[in-house]
Structures are given as C-alpha cells and as structure tokens.
Amino acid sequence: FPVIDDGKLVGIVSRSDFVRQLCTERQVAETVSDFHFDERGFYEVEMESLQQVADRVGERIESLSVADVMNRRPYTIPLNLPIREVAHQFMTHHVHRLPVTDQGVLVGMLTTIDLARLIADGRLQEPERS
C-alpha cells in the first residue's frame, strides 16, 4: 500500500514489511521475556510461556501505526521508464509492485502481473534485431 502525505509518496507498506515487523516484535519479546522493570526496579524472573510472549507481541502489534511499519524509501519508477527497464527494476529489487511517480506524486502502481498480462495479450514484443 502506498503511503501519501501532503500529496507526495512518503512510503509503502507491503506484506513483507508487516511480517518483518511481526518477526522483530516476536524476537524482542522472546529476548526480554525473562526481564522485567517495575516499581521494584529491573529484575529477572522465570521465562514467560509462549502464550504470554504471543500476547505481548499481539498487544504491541495493535499499537503500531503505518509509520512504524512502512518502508520510508521505497523503490519507485518514473512515468516514462521503458518497460524493459521496469522489468529490470523488478528483478534487481526483488519486488512485485513498483509505485509510478511523477515529480514525487504517485500516479500509479505497476506490478509483475501487469507485465505478464502485456506479454500474454501480445502487446509486449521483443524488438526486431537487425
């Protein structure tokens, strides 16, 4: 999902970004599950159960915002980029969607499915070689 602020693309949130954040939250919760800090100070206690760790991760995930999860420097492509270069960008960055921008303003999204559709429909052909 593109993230827009004041008409400009400021980030993007993908399923991978969310899963990465979920894994990070779980790792942190598991790492600190046997350490606590309260009015008595910082102390070590018996490690929490997996259910308690999962509950803590769930609580943390519920409090996250788009800004916490989004990629603030998404790969983008300009409106006039040749299709061959678009395909190269998909492969180089290992992504399936690229925001299309015009002077920082989101004007569309191009996907690998869009490219496959062009090929399947016969609208994208190899240039003739001389």
Side-chain angles (χ1 to χ4, degrees), residues 5-75:
D5 187 26
D6 200 23
K8 299 279 184 174
L9 179 68
V10 295
I12 197 160
V13 176
S14 70
R15 180 180 19 224
S16 311
D17 297 322
F18 187 76
V19 169
R20 187 177 308 107
Q21 186 68 37
L22 182 61
C23 291
T24 299
E25 296 297 333
R26 178 179 174 206
Q27 184 178 18
V28 168
E30 287 176 348
T31 302
V32 301
S33 70
D34 52 350
F35 296 99
H36 293 276
F37 184 80
D38 62 17
E39 64 278 348
R40 295 175 288 169
F42 185 75
Y43 58 96
E44 189 172 356
V45 296
E46 186 177 324
M47 187 170 170
E48 293 176 330
S49 71
L50 289 178
Q51 182 60 51
Q52 289 169 313
V53 169
D55 290 345
R56 188 187 304 183
V57 171
E59 289 170 7
R60 172 70 178 134
I61 292 295
E62 287 177 355
S63 70
L64 292 176
S65 69
V66 170
D68 294 326
V69 179
M70 76 179 184
N71 175 349
R72 295 175 187 276
R73 294 172 40 196
Y75 303 114

Side-chain angles (χ1 to χ4, degrees), residues 73-126:
R73 294 172 40 196
Y75 303 114
T76 63
I77 54 175
L79 194 56
N80 59 352
L81 191 67
I83 293 298
R84 184 180 220 59
E85 182 58 28
V86 171
H88 180 70
Q89 294 297 315
F90 281 132
M91 293 186 316
T92 299
H93 300 300
H94 304 283
V95 295
H96 298 281
R97 291 169 193 80
L98 285 166
V100 181
T101 58
D102 186 15
Q103 299 179 2
V105 176
L106 181 69
V107 294
M109 292 288 283
L110 194 61
T111 70
T112 51
I113 295 296
D114 295 327
L115 288 183
R117 188 174 296 117
L118 285 174
I119 294 166
D121 291 347
R123 295 186 291 157
L124 185 63
Q125 312 230 338
E126 286 287 325

